[in-house]
Amino acid sequence: MKVGIAGCGGRMGRMLIQAALEGEGVRLAGGTERAGSALVGADVAGVVGAESVGATITADPAEMFAAVDAVIDFTAPAATLTHADLAAQTGTILVVGTTGMDAAGLARLAEAGRDTRIVQAPNMSVGVNLLFALTRQVAATLGVDYDIEIVEHHHRHKVDAPSGTALGLGRAAADGRGVDLDAVADRGRDGHTGPRADGHIGFAVLRGGDVVGDHSVVFAGPGERVELTHKASDRAIYARGALRAARWAADRPNGLYSMADVLGLH
């Protein structure tokens, strides 16, 4: 499978390049960067100091989509939606790890999925997607007598909050209870807030240092607490998960899929 990396000069882009060079069943065959980047025109493998693979970085995403079987995208929502349109036009597999996607953006991904295969997840880690499934199950089992709080900690450079993974955990908990997350989410507390509202799902955000990503779901009930935690120490887990998703999608019908589909967790 020929793979292209969108935004290959960024932190995750470089990790994806390395994973593609090392991964089985894939060949690094393209990459994009913004116009004006010093990387445009360079060999994509050279970004991580590897030997040339004969594919250069372009500022034109359409050029990359025409040359590869799958594109992995951990960029930004606006760029991802442009890439989804290109994927639909070319039939290229698109794996989306971009965070900060709103409901309208997800709807556009679903629309593009009519003409190609798209795998989208707020987190591509196998362990985190298992955590999503466990959170849904525990929320359904414990019920509303247990208050749910989601705590996440990321490095100081992360620009969105709560993280896409934290929101994904919130949606999993809400799904387990059969409620709409938007109706019960407490995403910020300050000052005299009064007592905690029954059935709400709270979020707490920490930013600092070089933390790759820590997430905990706390179920606090009468006389006991249940805590589910995942801690990432290496971004390579996201890259490996994304490549696994691309390979999985190769023989699937068109549609919008999740990592739960890839991992058989439904």
Side-chain angles (χ1 to χ4, degrees), residues 89-178:
Q89 293 166 20
T90 59
T92 306
I93 295 167
L94 180 63
V95 177
V96 178
T98 302
T99 59
M101 299 290 293
D102 60 16
L106 293 174
R108 281 187 60 184
L109 290 182
E111 183 178 353
R114 297 181 203 167
D115 298 307
T116 190
R117 294 135 293 168
I118 297 179
V119 181
Q120 184 275 334
N123 192 303
M124 291 288 169
S125 156
V126 172
V128 164
N129 281 278
L130 180 58
L131 182 61
F132 288 150
L134 291 171
T135 297
R136 186 177 295 108
Q137 179 181 358
V138 173
T141 301
L142 294 181
V144 295
D145 287 342
Y146 287 73
D147 299 323
I148 300 176
E149 294 287 321
I150 297 168
V151 183
E152 58 105 335
H153 186 178
H154 281 85
H155 53 88
R156 67 192 310 272
H157 300 291
K158 188 167 178 61
V159 298
D160 57 314
S163 69
T165 300
L167 292 172
L169 290 167
R171 282 190 290 272
D175 288 347
R177 287 185 169 178

Side-chain angles (χ1 to χ4, degrees), residues 14-106:
R14 293 168 187 268
M15 192 66 69
L16 288 162
I17 288 171
Q18 191 66 50
L21 289 170
E22 298 171 354
E24 294 184 6
V26 298
R27 177 165 67 86
L28 182 62
T32 62
E33 257 303 326
R34 288 174 291 185
S37 168
L39 294 176
V40 173
D43 188 272
V44 65
V47 173
V48 296
E51 294 183 6
S52 171
V53 293
T56 57
I57 298 169
T58 177
D60 180 7
E63 182 181 339
M64 177 181 67
F65 272 83
V68 301
D69 303 311
V71 169
I72 301 177
D73 181 351
F74 280 69
T75 57
T80 294
L81 295 179
T82 297
H83 298 156
D85 292 340
L86 287 169
Q89 293 166 20
T90 59
T92 306
I93 295 167
L94 180 63
V95 177
V96 178
T98 302
T99 59
M101 299 290 293
D102 60 16
L106 293 174

